[in-house]
mmCIF file of all heavy atoms in Angstrom:
data_model
loop_
_atom_site.group_PDB
_atom_site.id
_atom_site.type_symbol
_atom_site.label_atom_id
_atom_site.label_comp_id
_atom_site.label_asym_id
_atom_site.label_seq_id
_atom_site.Cartn_x
_atom_site.Cartn_y
_atom_site.Cartn_z
ATOM 1 N N GLU A 1 100.110 172.998 -102.316
ATOM 2 C CA GLU A 1 100.160 171.552 -102.110
ATOM 3 C C GLU A 1 99.544 170.832 -103.298
ATOM 4 O O GLU A 1 98.451 171.175 -103.744
ATOM 5 C CB GLU A 1 99.439 171.166 -100.821
ATOM 6 C CG GLU A 1 100.169 171.636 -99.588
ATOM 7 C CD GLU A 1 99.564 171.131 -98.298
ATOM 8 O OE1 GLU A 1 98.662 170.269 -98.340
ATOM 9 O OE2 GLU A 1 99.998 171.609 -97.240
ATOM 10 N N GLY A 2 100.274 169.850 -103.816
ATOM 11 C CA GLY A 2 99.773 169.034 -104.917
ATOM 12 C C GLY A 2 100.159 169.532 -106.294
ATOM 13 O O GLY A 2 99.995 168.813 -107.275
ATOM 14 N N TRP A 3 100.691 170.750 -106.394
ATOM 15 C CA TRP A 3 101.088 171.270 -107.709
ATOM 16 C C TRP A 3 102.513 170.822 -107.990
ATOM 17 O O TRP A 3 103.395 170.958 -107.154
ATOM 18 C CB TRP A 3 100.996 172.794 -107.731
ATOM 19 C CG TRP A 3 101.178 173.352 -109.106
ATOM 20 C CD1 TRP A 3 100.229 173.474 -110.072
ATOM 21 C CD2 TRP A 3 102.393 173.824 -109.685
ATOM 22 N NE1 TRP A 3 100.777 174.005 -111.213
ATOM 23 C CE2 TRP A 3 102.118 174.235 -111.005
ATOM 24 C CE3 TRP A 3 103.704 173.944 -109.227
ATOM 25 C CZ2 TRP A 3 103.074 174.749 -111.857
ATOM 26 C CZ3 TRP A 3 104.666 174.456 -110.068
ATOM 27 C CH2 TRP A 3 104.338 174.863 -111.372
ATOM 28 N N SER A 4 102.741 170.245 -109.164
ATOM 29 C CA SER A 4 104.062 169.719 -109.487
ATOM 30 C C SER A 4 104.327 169.788 -110.983
ATOM 31 O O SER A 4 103.399 169.674 -111.786
ATOM 32 C CB SER A 4 104.167 168.251 -109.035
ATOM 33 O OG SER A 4 105.422 167.714 -109.387
ATOM 34 N N THR A 5 105.585 169.957 -111.309
ATOM 35 C CA THR A 5 106.014 169.899 -112.712
ATOM 36 C C THR A 5 106.764 168.592 -112.984
ATOM 37 O O THR A 5 107.378 168.442 -114.036
ATOM 38 C CB THR A 5 106.922 171.096 -113.069
ATOM 39 O OG1 THR A 5 108.072 171.080 -112.208
ATOM 40 C CG2 THR A 5 106.175 172.411 -112.936
ATOM 41 N N ALA A 6 106.703 167.653 -112.055
ATOM 42 C CA ALA A 6 107.400 166.369 -112.230
ATOM 43 C C ALA A 6 106.820 165.608 -113.413
ATOM 44 O O ALA A 6 105.609 165.640 -113.668
ATOM 45 C CB ALA A 6 107.288 165.528 -110.966
ATOM 46 N N SER A 7 107.694 164.907 -114.115
ATOM 47 C CA SER A 7 107.265 164.109 -115.266
ATOM 48 C C SER A 7 106.442 162.906 -114.818
ATOM 49 O O SER A 7 106.479 162.503 -113.657
ATOM 50 C CB SER A 7 108.489 163.634 -116.043
ATOM 51 O OG SER A 7 109.209 162.682 -115.267
ATOM 52 N N SER A 8 105.738 162.300 -115.755
ATOM 53 C CA SER A 8 104.939 161.121 -115.427
ATOM 54 C C SER A 8 105.830 159.958 -115.004
ATOM 55 O O SER A 8 105.446 159.164 -114.151
ATOM 56 C CB SER A 8 104.045 160.729 -116.604
ATOM 57 O OG SER A 8 104.815 160.519 -117.766
ATOM 58 N N SER A 9 107.027 159.867 -115.558
ATOM 59 C CA SER A 9 107.933 158.775 -115.159
ATOM 60 C C SER A 9 108.403 158.959 -113.716
ATOM 61 O O SER A 9 108.546 157.987 -112.977
ATOM 62 C CB SER A 9 109.128 158.668 -116.109
ATOM 63 O OG SER A 9 109.891 159.847 -116.087
ATOM 64 N N VAL A 10 108.635 160.202 -113.303
ATOM 65 C CA VAL A 10 109.025 160.483 -111.914
ATOM 66 C C VAL A 10 107.859 160.166 -110.987
ATOM 67 O O VAL A 10 108.033 159.556 -109.934
ATOM 68 C CB VAL A 10 109.486 161.951 -111.766
ATOM 69 C CG1 VAL A 10 109.576 162.360 -110.300
ATOM 70 C CG2 VAL A 10 110.822 162.161 -112.466
ATOM 71 N N ARG A 11 106.664 160.533 -111.390
ATOM 72 C CA ARG A 11 105.477 160.241 -110.573
ATOM 73 C C ARG A 11 105.234 158.740 -110.458
ATOM 74 O O ARG A 11 104.808 158.251 -109.415
ATOM 75 C CB ARG A 11 104.251 160.942 -111.149
ATOM 76 C CG ARG A 11 104.308 162.435 -110.960
ATOM 77 C CD ARG A 11 103.120 163.104 -111.596
ATOM 78 N NE ARG A 11 103.329 164.531 -111.615
ATOM 79 C CZ ARG A 11 102.388 165.415 -111.398
ATOM 80 N NH1 ARG A 11 101.151 165.028 -111.172
ATOM 81 N NH2 ARG A 11 102.660 166.700 -111.440
ATOM 82 N N ALA A 12 105.527 158.013 -111.523
ATOM 83 C CA ALA A 12 105.362 156.555 -111.498
ATOM 84 C C ALA A 12 106.304 155.904 -110.486
ATOM 85 O O ALA A 12 106.008 154.836 -109.963
ATOM 86 C CB ALA A 12 105.600 155.974 -112.891
ATOM 87 N N MET A 13 107.419 156.563 -110.190
ATOM 88 C CA MET A 13 108.360 156.061 -109.173
ATOM 89 C C MET A 13 107.922 156.433 -107.755
ATOM 90 O O MET A 13 108.547 156.029 -106.781
ATOM 91 C CB MET A 13 109.765 156.624 -109.422
ATOM 92 C CG MET A 13 110.450 156.041 -110.620
ATOM 93 S SD MET A 13 112.190 156.554 -110.722
ATOM 94 C CE MET A 13 112.032 158.229 -111.305
ATOM 95 N N GLY A 14 106.847 157.240 -107.640
ATOM 96 C CA GLY A 14 106.348 157.614 -106.328
ATOM 97 C C GLY A 14 106.819 158.975 -105.855
ATOM 98 O O GLY A 14 106.610 159.344 -104.701
ATOM 99 N N PHE A 15 107.464 159.738 -106.736
ATOM 100 C CA PHE A 15 107.936 161.076 -106.385
ATOM 101 C C PHE A 15 107.093 162.116 -107.120
ATOM 102 O O PHE A 15 106.284 161.788 -107.967
ATOM 103 C CB PHE A 15 109.409 161.244 -106.792
ATOM 104 C CG PHE A 15 110.341 160.292 -106.106
ATOM 105 C CD1 PHE A 15 110.828 159.187 -106.785
ATOM 106 C CD2 PHE A 15 110.734 160.504 -104.798
ATOM 107 C CE1 PHE A 15 111.703 158.307 -106.157
ATOM 108 C CE2 PHE A 15 111.602 159.632 -104.169
ATOM 109 C CZ PHE A 15 112.090 158.524 -104.848
ATOM 110 N N GLY A 16 107.335 163.401 -106.806
ATOM 111 C CA GLY A 16 106.699 164.472 -107.564
ATOM 112 C C GLY A 16 105.247 164.715 -107.232
ATOM 113 O O GLY A 16 104.474 165.126 -108.083
ATOM 114 N N ALA A 17 104.868 164.505 -105.968
ATOM 115 C CA ALA A 17 103.470 164.698 -105.569
ATOM 116 C C ALA A 17 103.123 166.155 -105.290
ATOM 117 O O ALA A 17 101.989 166.460 -104.959
ATOM 118 C CB ALA A 17 103.165 163.859 -104.326
ATOM 119 N N GLY A 18 104.106 167.037 -105.398
ATOM 120 C CA GLY A 18 103.838 168.443 -105.162
ATOM 121 C C GLY A 18 103.777 168.818 -103.696
ATOM 122 O O GLY A 18 103.127 169.789 -103.323
ATOM 123 N N MET A 19 104.459 168.069 -102.853
ATOM 124 C CA MET A 19 104.454 168.361 -101.423
ATOM 125 C C MET A 19 105.818 168.813 -100.909
ATOM 126 O O MET A 19 105.952 169.169 -99.737
ATOM 127 C CB MET A 19 104.005 167.115 -100.642
ATOM 128 C CG MET A 19 102.562 166.735 -100.891
ATOM 129 S SD MET A 19 101.394 168.059 -100.520
ATOM 130 C CE MET A 19 101.618 168.229 -98.767
ATOM 131 N N GLY A 20 106.837 168.819 -101.761
ATOM 132 C CA GLY A 20 108.197 169.145 -101.331
ATOM 133 C C GLY A 20 108.324 170.513 -100.691
ATOM 134 O O GLY A 20 108.665 170.628 -99.502
ATOM 135 N N LEU A 21 108.072 171.566 -101.453
ATOM 136 C CA LEU A 21 108.205 172.923 -100.899
ATOM 137 C C LEU A 21 107.232 173.178 -99.747
ATOM 138 O O LEU A 21 107.639 173.737 -98.719
ATOM 139 C CB LEU A 21 108.044 173.974 -102.003
ATOM 140 C CG LEU A 21 109.216 174.081 -102.983
ATOM 141 C CD1 LEU A 21 108.871 175.025 -104.126
ATOM 142 C CD2 LEU A 21 110.479 174.538 -102.279
ATOM 143 N N PRO A 22 105.951 172.764 -99.855
ATOM 144 C CA PRO A 22 105.068 172.956 -98.697
ATOM 145 C C PRO A 22 105.559 172.235 -97.433
ATOM 146 O O PRO A 22 105.480 172.793 -96.329
ATOM 147 C CB PRO A 22 103.720 172.388 -99.172
ATOM 148 C CG PRO A 22 103.748 172.569 -100.657
ATOM 149 C CD PRO A 22 105.184 172.309 -101.032
ATOM 150 N N ASN A 23 106.090 171.022 -97.574
ATOM 151 C CA ASN A 23 106.611 170.307 -96.406
ATOM 152 C C ASN A 23 107.849 170.992 -95.841
ATOM 153 O O ASN A 23 108.050 171.020 -94.619
ATOM 154 C CB ASN A 23 106.938 168.852 -96.758
ATOM 155 C CG ASN A 23 105.711 167.975 -96.764
ATOM 156 O OD1 ASN A 23 104.695 168.292 -96.155
ATOM 157 N ND2 ASN A 23 105.792 166.860 -97.477
ATOM 158 N N MET A 24 108.681 171.538 -96.722
ATOM 159 C CA MET A 24 109.863 172.262 -96.260
ATOM 160 C C MET A 24 109.431 173.484 -95.449
ATOM 161 O O MET A 24 109.947 173.730 -94.354
ATOM 162 C CB MET A 24 110.730 172.661 -97.461
ATOM 163 C CG MET A 24 111.371 171.456 -98.140
ATOM 164 S SD MET A 24 111.895 171.765 -99.846
ATOM 165 C CE MET A 24 113.247 172.890 -99.623
ATOM 166 N N LYS A 25 108.486 174.237 -95.974
ATOM 167 C CA LYS A 25 108.008 175.441 -95.280
ATOM 168 C C LYS A 25 107.348 175.085 -93.946
ATOM 169 O O LYS A 25 107.552 175.765 -92.939
ATOM 170 C CB LYS A 25 107.020 176.203 -96.160
ATOM 171 C CG LYS A 25 106.553 177.512 -95.528
ATOM 172 C CD LYS A 25 105.766 178.328 -96.511
ATOM 173 C CE LYS A 25 105.246 179.604 -95.909
ATOM 174 N NZ LYS A 25 106.250 180.563 -95.535
ATOM 175 N N ARG A 26 106.588 174.013 -93.929
ATOM 176 C CA ARG A 26 105.887 173.583 -92.717
ATOM 177 C C ARG A 26 106.872 173.185 -91.600
ATOM 178 O O ARG A 26 106.607 173.399 -90.428
ATOM 179 C CB ARG A 26 104.965 172.406 -93.060
ATOM 180 C CG ARG A 26 104.030 171.974 -91.980
ATOM 181 C CD ARG A 26 103.021 170.891 -92.374
ATOM 182 N NE ARG A 26 103.091 170.307 -93.691
ATOM 183 C CZ ARG A 26 102.420 170.733 -94.765
ATOM 184 N NH1 ARG A 26 101.641 171.788 -94.673
ATOM 185 N NH2 ARG A 26 102.531 170.128 -95.923
ATOM 186 N N ASN A 27 108.013 172.618 -91.973
ATOM 187 C CA ASN A 27 108.953 172.116 -90.972
ATOM 188 C C ASN A 27 110.055 173.097 -90.597
ATOM 189 O O ASN A 27 110.728 172.909 -89.588
ATOM 190 C CB ASN A 27 109.561 170.798 -91.443
ATOM 191 C CG ASN A 27 108.603 169.656 -91.241
ATOM 192 O OD1 ASN A 27 108.464 169.148 -90.138
ATOM 193 N ND2 ASN A 27 107.899 169.268 -92.291
ATOM 194 N N ALA A 28 110.265 174.138 -91.393
ATOM 195 C CA ALA A 28 111.271 175.148 -91.084
ATOM 196 C C ALA A 28 110.624 176.295 -90.323
ATOM 197 O O ALA A 28 109.435 176.566 -90.481
ATOM 198 C CB ALA A 28 111.897 175.670 -92.380
ATOM 199 N N ASP A 29 111.405 176.973 -89.495
ATOM 200 C CA ASP A 29 110.905 178.179 -88.829
ATOM 201 C C ASP A 29 110.930 179.360 -89.800
ATOM 202 O O ASP A 29 110.077 180.238 -89.729
ATOM 203 C CB ASP A 29 111.739 178.488 -87.585
ATOM 204 C CG ASP A 29 111.543 177.430 -86.506
ATOM 205 O OD1 ASP A 29 110.375 177.096 -86.212
ATOM 206 O OD2 ASP A 29 112.546 176.928 -85.978
ATOM 207 N N GLU A 30 111.908 179.356 -90.677
ATOM 208 C CA GLU A 30 112.010 180.377 -91.719
ATOM 209 C C GLU A 30 112.446 179.697 -93.008
ATOM 210 O O GLU A 30 113.255 178.762 -92.975
ATOM 211 C CB GLU A 30 113.058 181.443 -91.361
ATOM 212 C CG GLU A 30 112.755 182.229 -90.127
ATOM 213 C CD GLU A 30 113.896 183.154 -89.710
ATOM 214 O OE1 GLU A 30 114.878 183.315 -90.458
ATOM 215 O OE2 GLU A 30 113.791 183.701 -88.598
#
């Protein structure tokens, strides 16, 4: 959680917080 390779411009738009894969895993059964 929180680790991301998103660019600073992507982060400035509010994306790339490093929660994508962890949130996917948390909400999927597999």
Side-chain angles (χ1 to χ4, degrees):
E1 291 187 9
W3 189 83
S4 178
T5 59
S7 69
S8 56
S9 62
V10 166
R11 289 177 191 218
M13 288 189 284
F15 299 103
M19 293 303 295
L21 288 173
N23 280 339
M24 292 159 69
K25 184 171 178 66
R26 189 174 4 268
N27 282 281
D29 292 312
E30 297 173 8

